[in-house]
Amino acid sequence: DAKTTQPTSMDCAEGRAANLPCNHSTISGNEYVYWYRQIHSQGPQYIIHGLKNNETNEMASLIITEDRKSSTLILPHATLRDTAVYYCIGATQGGSEKLVFGKGMKLTVNP
Amino acid sequence: KAGVTQTPRYLIKTRGQQVTLSCSPISGHRSVSWYQQTPGQGLQFLFEYFSETQRNKGNFPGRFSGRQFSNSRSEMNVSTLELGDSALYLCASSEGGGETQYFGPGTRLLVL
């Protein structure tokens, strides 16, 4: 699975958009970019995934660069409940049952 | 639909004992994956079961085992517990064809 690189941490003001970056240094053409988040001591929560087109759902938007070397997860109006560790993961559709989690990025939303 | 459920939520054992953890997947999901999360190693994949067969396996010793039943419920077992087995054990389910995994709340195991 692709190795991803994320900043260790990021702060965001409540109500503002949170833009979480991820670099996929070895992503291949058939690897999806998955985003999960984990609020303290809970199970990871699926957010969104995409292959090459931008994706949007009720939680977030995912912007993937044309060369697919990086992506940005956008939380349009961050709330205090969005404070969590966010994981960006690359996985083939046939390999998504064994996700390889990195260290993730701690997002802190401040009032 | 109900989400993934795991029992028990908390468990305390002593070294040398064995433990069995249970996971009930989302209705209709046929794949169950197990992960171990520790502060030092992060989230690590243990194994995945699909249609009662282990389909993928992570790099863990043989003390860690699992099984899946015909109703897709899964159990994992850890024998001869060590202090380092203290962790949050998470299970996730998916439909089984490479779709998105959905995680349960986890079982927190403390080995004394």
Side-chain angles (χ1 to χ4, degrees):
Chain A
D1 288 345
K3 180 176 174 59
T4 61
T5 306
Q6 300 176 256
T8 303
S9 63
M10 175 181 287
D11 282 13
C12 175
E14 188 178 20
R16 302 295 295 268
N19 297 308
L20 287 66
C22 178
N23 287 317
H24 336 120
S25 58
T26 58
I27 197 166
S28 61
N30 64 343
E31 287 184 295
Y32 286 75
V33 178
Y34 283 83
W35 283 84
Y36 282 81
R37 73 181 181 184
Q38 188 174 26
I39 297 169
H40 183 62
S41 295
Q42 299 181 21
Q45 178 188 24
Y46 166 76
I47 301 173
I48 199 168
H49 74 284
L51 186 60
K52 52 183 162 182
N53 297 320
N54 298 337
E55 302 287 345
T56 295
N57 63 20
E58 64 279 4
M59 288 183 68
S61 295
L62 175 61
I63 309 297
I64 302 174
T65 59
E66 195 170 336
D67 63 7
R68 301 201 338 110
K69 297 296 186 187
S70 66
S71 66
T72 301
L73 178 74
I74 301 172
L75 307 178
H77 306 287
T79 70
L80 299 179
R81 286 179 292 182
D82 292 322
T83 293
V85 177
Y86 286 75
Y87 297 95
C88 167
I89 303 164
T92 58
Q93 185 135 48
S96 58
E97 282 93 358
K98 54 170 187 172
L99 298 172
V100 178
F101 286 82
K103 295 187 185 302
M105 186 198 80
K106 177 66 184 295
L107 173 69
T108 302
V109 181
N110 299 305
Chain B
K1 284 184 182 178
V4 178
T5 58
Q6 293 187 244
T7 56
R9 293 293 310 280
Y10 303 92
L11 206 47
I12 300 175
K13 292 285 188 180
T14 56
R15 277 181 299 174
Q17 287 188 309
Q18 74 163 12
V19 66
T20 299
L21 312 180
S22 181
C23 172
S24 292
I26 292 171
S27 177
H29 284 192
R30 297 169 62 193
S31 168
V32 174
S33 297
W34 289 89
Y35 295 81
Q36 180 197 64
Q37 185 172 29
T38 61
Q41 299 299 318
L43 266 157
Q44 293 186 290
F45 172 77
L46 278 157
F47 32 65
E48 183 237 350
Y49 285 85
F50 177 78
S51 291
E52 302 179 63
T53 301
Q54 187 180 86
R55 191 163 64 171
N56 288 297
K57 188 176 188 306
N59 188 26
F60 278 82
R63 299 186 297 107
F64 293 82
S65 63
R67 59 178 176 169
Q68 187 180 33
F69 302 96
S70 58
N71 62 358
S72 293
R73 191 177 69 83
S74 177
E75 290 180 346
M76 70 161 281
N77 183 276
V78 187
S79 63
T80 319
L81 283 166
E82 301 177 359
L83 296 179
D85 297 332
S86 294
L88 180 66
Y89 289 88
L90 294 154
C91 98
S93 76
S94 71
E95 292 181 25
E99 298 83 6
T100 302
Q101 287 188 69
Y102 296 90
F103 284 80
T107 293
R108 187 164 295 281
L109 171 66
L110 177 62
V111 181
L112 301 175

